Amino acid sequence: MTAVPLWVRLPARERVGWLRTVDHKAIGVLYIGMGVAFFAIGGLEALLLRAQLATPEERLLDPETFNQAFTVHGVTMILLAVVPLLVGFANYLVPLMIGAPDVAFPRLNALSFWLSLVGGIVLYFSFLAGGAPDTGWFSYAPLSERAFAPGTGVDYYILGLAVNGAGTIIGAINLAVTILLMRCPGMAISRVPLFVWMTLVTSVLILGAYPALTAALVMLLVDRQLGGHFFDPGGGGQAVLWQHLFWFFGHPEVYIMVLPAMGMISEVIPVFSRKPIFGYGFVAGSSVAIAFLSFGVWAHHMFAVGLGDTENAIFSATSMLIAIPTGVKIFNWIATMVGGRLRMTTAMLFAVGFIAMFVIGGLSGVSLAVVPIDLAVTDSYYVVAHLHYVLFGGTMLGIFAGTYYWFPKMTGRLLNEVLGRWHFWTTFVGFNLTFLPQHWLGAVGMPRRVFTYAASTGWGPLNLLSTIGAAILAIAMVIFFVNLVRSLRSGEIAGDDPWDAFTLEWATTSPPPPENFASIPAVTGRRPLWDRKHPELRDAP
Amino acid sequence: MIAVRPAIGTNRTLLGVAIFIASESIFFLAIVLAYVAYRDAGLATAKATLDIGRTAVFSVALFGSSGTMALAARAESGRWLAATIVLGAIFLTGQGSEYARLLGEGIGPGSALFGTTFFTLTGLHGLHVLAGLVALGALVAANRRRRRAVHPVAWEAVGMYWHFVDAVWVVVFSVVYLGTLL
Ligand code: HEM
Ligand SMILES: [Cu+2]
């Protein structure tokens, strides 16, 4: 059987190829491809880390390599895997969902992608240029200053992140303008699919947060290359300034990674519950609340610094407040499922998995917002467990849900559901086996970022369990890749609307033509395609 | 033909530039805050070495260039555009001479906290002026070659960016130079 073209159906001579394309769908696929590739690389790095930690006193990696591996793993997963995956989906889907032919600035869109990718390549070039950065993904000063990090690793970190961030900022401008100005007639801003809404909110977060990171990077570069003193206590600077600037970016970054995934499951859950989302306004509004609050909580990453009791109390309180809008969403998703005719497809399994795992990550997050608890477990494996429940259990499961849901639209073929179920359950088991034990490890005092530990600590068994979990996760990812490749070549033909879905991207062919729509259906509500298919059951406008 | 003036609320390019400016503002805010945070440590050096009067004159050139830019955009006039470029270049020359003097006195980005913050903040602003001059130059070139083809939006967009660069200098000049008078 011949392959269905992956993105546009152009005759060969009219195809521009991946290097020169400015089509939002092709660029979306490029972003997703970049994310998948870096996810694989970051995953291999994680496996190395887990192998080294499997038993006490292991000597697989030397300490220096271990430091580089966790640093590059963290940066890769966050900035080169998850963000590109989410931006890729947004690129592909937003114009389709709002009935637009493309994004507002197609050529700028290509620039964004290439900047993001080049940033990643610059970071990885450090391996060839004498050693990767080894100062952790948040690269605290003064450790990251020349005096303590004399190699070039941190310079590549600065350059790579700045270039990658420029791409992300330009991409956010593009998506924001697209959503604000290019909605088709009838598509009021209060009717956009929630994934589009979350993308808009995320763009605002990117535009507010990334420039602070860029500024911090510039200052660090001045310190390192021009002998400046921004973060150099010896020269009168304050190392804590880096932390403030970094986390002013870093905490919103968490929501930049989570909100779009929440948007994805907000599309998936209604369709597979055969109901409109429960409380659209609350889901949309709570996202704005989260975005707003997320700029006022950064110092919860800095409780151990000793800012003072008043500061700690304020940031503790604002951090806990975020649990409210987050909880609102969780109730809305559950209420959408209650009483629905559930279809437990793989996409739906992953969406439900997202809710379950994100609740655990959210609860450990609230516990970390309690200052005394944070002081006890800061920089321990408890934090590592927490962040992976949010980022893997939350975001990645959401991305998998979105992948099973939209793959047929992007490729014209369905992913295999049997492999999909294997993928889900091995992921679920492997993930929990890897990260659940780390809560205990952290609670009994195992610090993060240590390359090994003594047998007498008694941390061996739980670490071994965790590494076995990581191996199962690796198998899960192999199943996923097999599914991707097989389905791409010979998956069941999807048709335009395989899920009997609600939103406009399903109103066009799979994959969509270059101009997206032959004709755009009249939009009178939040579920335009449903309204067209079932005029008698139309949503009230 | 009298062009309808494009508006931020409906024009993609202008909205894009406006959003870009908003995010650039956060970038400068972070740098300005760093300057303010370290102000006390550098105040003595700043008082002793900065030349407010001279810089004020060059600042007037930059502020004036916002006026010429507004005139240029309104009339789509290449002449006013050229005036804007000249004024912007005068400002940069002034900054360059200030840098040369400070460096001559041994004050550089690596010398002490004042040098670090001063050169970073004013240098980043200078780079933005330079980028603005490039944009202005591109507009001049396009306008001379194919006058009719230059979209009115281009004038507005470049103008917005230029006014922004100017506004940033109002803040930087106040914080860095006028701040020494407090
Ligand atoms: C494939 C499954 C994964 C495994 C087995 C894994 C494992 C690990 C390990 C062992 C560490 C080092 C902990 C330490 O020494 O402090 C780590 C750190 C980290 N991981 Fe993962 N990880 C995985 C997926 C992810 C994903 C999907 C993300 C983000 C989207 C992520 C983000 C991070 C971050 C930010 C750090 C902190 C890096 C640092 O300390 O600077 N990981 N991970
Ligand atoms: Cu946070």
Side-chain angles (χ1 to χ4, degrees), chain B residues 64-130:
Chain B
S65 77
S66 252
T68 54
M69 183 68 229
L71 292 171
R74 182 158 320 153
E76 298 191 4
S77 144
R79 231 171 255 155
W80 283 117
L81 210 52
T84 310
I85 293 180
V86 170
L87 287 172
I90 290 177
F91 171 79
L92 276 189
T93 316
Q95 203 173 23
S97 68
E98 173 95 327
Y99 275 21
R101 191 174 54 78
L102 289 174
L103 289 170
E105 291 174 25
I107 297 173
S111 58
L113 208 46
F114 169 72
T116 304
T117 54
F118 172 85
F119 279 96
T120 305
L121 179 54
T122 57
L124 285 169
H125 175 263
L127 285 177
H128 280 73
V129 175
L130 198 62

Side-chain angles (χ1 to χ4, degrees), chain A residues 247 250-252 254-255 294 297-301 319 386:
Chain A
W247 290 116
H251 189 83
V254 174
Y255 287 94
S294 75
V297 301
W298 75 90
H300 64 209
H301 296 271
S319 304
H386 157 68

Side-chain angles (χ1 to χ4, degrees), chain A residues 143-498:
Chain A
L143 179 63
S144 54
E145 295 275 20
R146 265 279 262 288
F148 307 103
T152 52
V154 175
D155 300 302
Y156 283 102
Y157 166 95
I158 294 172
L159 223 60
L161 264 58
V163 172
N164 174 274
T168 306
I169 290 173
I170 298 173
I173 296 174
N174 210 340
L175 285 168
V177 175
T178 305
I179 296 170
L180 290 174
L181 294 185
M182 295 185 64
R183 300 186 311 277
C184 69
M187 179 72 74
I189 193 78
S190 56
R191 284 180 182 156
V192 295
L194 283 166
F195 178 70
V196 173
W197 180 256
M198 305 287 199
T199 301
L200 180 60
V201 176
T202 303
S203 302
V204 174
L205 283 175
I206 290 174
L207 293 163
Y210 272 70
L213 174 67
T214 314
L217 292 170
V218 169
M219 294 182 206
L220 188 57
L221 193 67
V222 169
D223 276 13
R224 289 179 59 87
Q225 296 299 327
L226 302 175
H229 309 285
F230 278 111
F231 311 121
D232 158 32
Q238 292 184 23
V240 75
L241 177 65
W242 169 270
Q243 294 197 25
H244 280 298
L245 289 170
F246 187 91
W247 290 116
F248 185 82
F249 149 80
H251 189 83
E253 174 71 3
V254 174
Y255 287 94
I256 290 165
M257 291 189 279
V258 166
L259 283 177
M262 290 177 161
M264 289 176 165
I265 72 161
S266 301
E267 302 299 326
V268 169
I269 290 175
V271 166
F272 294 121
S273 305
R274 310 311 301 150
K275 281 167 68 185
I277 185 100
F278 180 87
Y280 175 102
F282 278 97
V283 179
S286 60
S287 310
V288 178
I290 287 177
F292 184 73
L293 285 172
S294 75
F295 282 113
V297 301
W298 75 90
H300 64 209
H301 296 271
M302 301 164 60
F303 287 149
V305 168
L307 296 176
D309 287 341
T310 319
E311 287 84 346
N312 284 355
I314 291 171
F315 280 101
S316 168
T318 51
S319 304
M320 289 185 193
L321 275 183
I322 285 204
I324 297 172
T326 310
V328 165
K329 283 197 167 57
I330 290 176
F331 283 118
N332 280 287
W333 292 320
I334 294 175
T336 307
M337 288 189 277
V338 170
R341 279 184 291 119
L342 301 188
R343 289 187 291 172
M344 291 316 268
T345 56
T346 307
M348 187 66 168
L349 280 175
F350 273 111
V352 175
F354 171 108
I355 299 178
M357 296 301 97
F358 189 76
V359 166
I360 298 180
L363 289 176
S364 61
V366 173
S367 79
L368 285 168
V370 180
V371 178
I373 295 183
D374 180 77
L375 293 180
V377 294
T378 191
D379 257 330
S380 78
Y381 261 84
Y382 189 83
V383 175
V384 177
H386 157 68
L387 77 91
H388 286 89
Y389 266 87
V390 174
L391 295 177
F392 197 120
T395 299
M396 280 315 298
L397 295 198
I399 289 175
F400 287 134
T403 305
Y404 280 85
Y405 184 61
W406 283 297
F407 184 87
K409 178 51 58 183
M410 299 179 176
T411 66
R413 292 179 185 274
L414 292 159
L415 280 165
N416 184 295
E417 284 285 311
V418 176
L419 283 177
R421 261 146 233 277
W422 277 98
H423 171 204
F424 174 75
W425 286 109
T426 45
T427 303
F428 194 79
V429 171
F431 169 75
N432 281 292
L433 208 56
T434 309
F435 294 109
L436 201 59
Q438 294 182 1
H439 291 103
W440 280 272
L441 283 172
V444 299
M446 178 169 170
R448 70 190 282 200
R449 298 176 171 176
V450 289
F451 91 109
T452 195
Y453 48 91
S456 57
T457 55
W459 301 335
L462 284 178
N463 267 298
L464 186 60
L465 206 59
S466 179
T467 301
I468 294 172
I472 297 177
L473 260 183
I475 296 172
M477 294 311 125
V478 171
I479 297 175
F480 177 54
F481 280 112
V482 169
N483 198 357
L484 280 183
V485 174
R486 270 190 42 177
S487 303
L488 211 52
R489 292 174 49 189
S490 56
E492 194 186 324
I493 300 289
D496 295 353
D497 180 21

